[in-house]
């Protein structure tokens, strides 16, 4: 007898054991009595087929149970945590991220606000900056002094006195006026471009860098040559 004789005639359902009719749809199984005649290899083959079918059925049941468990868990979560709570949580996270970003931007911009407090003397050439001591007049101007013992004044170019300097950072709208006034005041102009340098009739040195707005005006030297010597030593050159 072939294994096919164990299959229901109407629904192709395979039966287990030796029933009189199909257990799934009730179809008659006229040849089912011949199942008992199976022996030897054929019987063992039939037993393997039946065992496999039982394993498949058990696996399908386990999968269905797992799906039901997942659906139940989702239902419980939905009941305990309504959708509006999830929306509120997401909105809170977005607000927190935006707040952190704003704080980071403010912290990054803070150093720009304190740059003027570094000192006006920071705009001076290195040689002169190392020699002077300054006192602020306001946020854009300072009065500075080079002591007579400093190497910049070696050779008595100031007649044995400290050298005073007026230092300022001019805004863009005032830079051209400063140079224009110095140019018309007389004296000897040594440079007249982005950097303006002149020695006044009273042997004071006038320096303006119109690119950065640095303006320096010194006290009197012992003469024009002394003023030029200091200009070269201090780095106040074009």
């Amino acid at each position: 007898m072939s294994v096919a004789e164990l299959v229901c005639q109407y629904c192709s359902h395979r039966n287990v054991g030796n029933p009189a009719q199909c257990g799934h749809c009730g179809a008659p199984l006229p040849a089912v009595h011949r199942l008992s005649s199976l022996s030897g290899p054929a019987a063992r083959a039939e037993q393997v087929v039946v065992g496999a079918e039982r394993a498949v059925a058990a696996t399908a049941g386990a999968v269905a149970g797992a799906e039901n468990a997942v659906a139940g868990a989702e239902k419980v979560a939905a009941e305990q945590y309504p959708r509006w709570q999830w929306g509120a949580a997401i909105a809170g996270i977005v607000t927190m991220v935006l707040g952190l970003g704003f704080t980071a931007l403010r912290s990054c911009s803070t150093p720009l606000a304190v740059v003027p407090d570094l000192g006006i003397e920071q705009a001076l050439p290195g040689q002169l900056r190392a020699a002077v001591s300054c006192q602020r007049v306001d946020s854009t101007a300072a009065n500075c002094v080079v002591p007579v013992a400093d190497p910049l004044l070696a050779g008595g170019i100031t007649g044995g006195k400290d050298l005073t300097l007026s230092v300022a950072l001019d805004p863009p709208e005032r830079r051209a006026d400063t140079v224009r006034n110095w140019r018309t005041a007389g004296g000897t102009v040594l440079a007249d471009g982005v950097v303006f340098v002149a020695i006044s009739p009273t042997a004071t040195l006038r320096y303006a860098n119109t690119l950065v707005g640095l303006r320096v005006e010194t006290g009197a030297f012992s003469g024009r040559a002394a003023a030029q010597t200091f200009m070269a030593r201090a780095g106040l050159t074009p």
Side-chain angles (χ1 to χ4, degrees), residues 85-164:
Q85 290 186 358
W86 289 104
I90 293 173
I93 293 173
V94 171
T95 302
M96 180 179 66
V97 171
L98 291 177
L100 291 175
F102 179 73
T103 302
L105 289 175
R106 289 195 60 186
S107 65
C108 290
S109 63
T110 300
L112 296 179
V114 301
V115 167
D117 292 336
L118 294 176
I120 296 171
E121 61 271 19
Q122 298 300 316
L124 296 171
Q127 304 93 309
L128 184 56
R129 183 171 64 247
V132 298
S133 58
C134 297
Q135 182 176 2
R136 285 288 187 90
V137 174
D138 55 35
S139 61
T140 62
N143 292 324
C144 303
V145 176
V146 178
V148 67
D150 192 275
L152 289 182
L153 303 182
I157 61 175
T158 58
K161 298 180 297 184
D162 294 341
L163 178 67
T164 59

Side-chain angles (χ1 to χ4, degrees), residues 1-237:
M1 176 181 178
S2 64
V3 175
E5 292 178 338
L6 299 177
V7 178
C8 292
Q9 296 178 10
Y10 298 155
C11 61
S12 299
H13 179 76
R14 187 176 296 277
N15 281 267
V16 179
N18 188 18
Q21 62 183 9
C22 178
H24 181 68
C25 62
L29 296 175
V32 72
H33 65 281
R34 297 175 60 187
L35 179 63
S36 61
S37 64
L38 290 174
S39 62
R44 287 194 294 273
E46 181 63 24
Q47 291 173 359
V48 170
V49 170
V50 171
E53 289 176 349
R54 290 177 176 175
V56 170
T59 302
V63 171
E67 291 177 348
N68 292 335
V70 171
E74 291 177 347
K75 182 178 179 181
V76 171
E79 292 175 352
Q80 294 183 356
Y81 304 100
R83 185 178 298 275
W84 69 266
Q85 290 186 358
W86 289 104
I90 293 173
I93 293 173
V94 171
T95 302
M96 180 179 66
V97 171
L98 291 177
L100 291 175
F102 179 73
T103 302
L105 289 175
R106 289 195 60 186
S107 65
C108 290
S109 63
T110 300
L112 296 179
V114 301
V115 167
D117 292 336
L118 294 176
I120 296 171
E121 61 271 19
Q122 298 300 316
L124 296 171
Q127 304 93 309
L128 184 56
R129 183 171 64 247
V132 298
S133 58
C134 297
Q135 182 176 2
R136 285 288 187 90
V137 174
D138 55 35
S139 61
T140 62
N143 292 324
C144 303
V145 176
V146 178
V148 67
D150 192 275
L152 289 182
L153 303 182
I157 61 175
T158 58
K161 298 180 297 184
D162 294 341
L163 178 67
T164 59
L165 303 93
S166 175
V167 181
L169 292 174
D170 288 337
E173 63 273 14
R174 290 182 53 189
R175 297 171 189 175
D177 292 340
T178 297
V179 172
R180 187 181 304 110
N181 292 337
W182 283 352
R183 189 183 295 118
T184 59
T188 303
V189 176
L190 303 178
D192 194 356
V194 174
V195 174
F196 177 89
V197 184
I199 299 174
S200 73
T202 58
T204 63
L205 186 64
R206 294 166 176 168
Y207 172 94
N209 185 323
T210 59
L211 183 63
V212 298
L214 175 63
R215 171 169 52 87
V216 179
E217 188 169 8
T218 72
F221 291 91
S222 58
R224 173 181 167 181
Q228 286 182 279
T229 297
F230 176 80
M231 179 186 72
R233 291 176 179 173
L236 297 174
T237 55

